[in-house]
Amino acid sequence: MQQHCCAHPRETPLASAEDVADADDILIAHAPRAVSRLRCGCGDDYPCAEVRFATLVKAATVRASR
């Protein structure tokens, strides 16, 4: 490893200045947001598959045969 006059090894940057600027832009554009979600009694996101099925059954109508 090559030594400098001050006896510290030469540091090689892992990313270019453009990569660092792009990373800053991404972090600003993708800021975290607080999200609240409804939870079903079973612990899944509401409506769970069983609630969707029950809603479908309740909304179904039986037509009189002709």
Side-chain angles (χ1 to χ4, degrees):
M1 190 177 287
Q2 187 178 11
Q3 299 287 326
H4 282 284
C5 61
C6 61
H8 293 291
R10 177 176 227 157
E11 294 182 13
T12 304
L14 296 176
S16 69
E18 184 179 340
D19 291 338
V20 173
D22 290 344
D24 287 338
D25 292 342
I26 290 170
L27 292 174
I28 290 170
H30 294 266
R33 296 180 211 154
V35 177
S36 60
R37 299 186 317 209
L38 293 174
R39 290 286 189 177
C40 189
C42 65
D44 289 340
D45 288 339
Y46 186 84
C48 69
E50 291 184 41
V51 170
R52 286 193 301 264
F53 178 74
T55 304
L56 179 67
V57 169
K58 297 267 303 174
T61 58
V62 179
R63 294 180 185 220
S65 59
R66 292 183 180 190

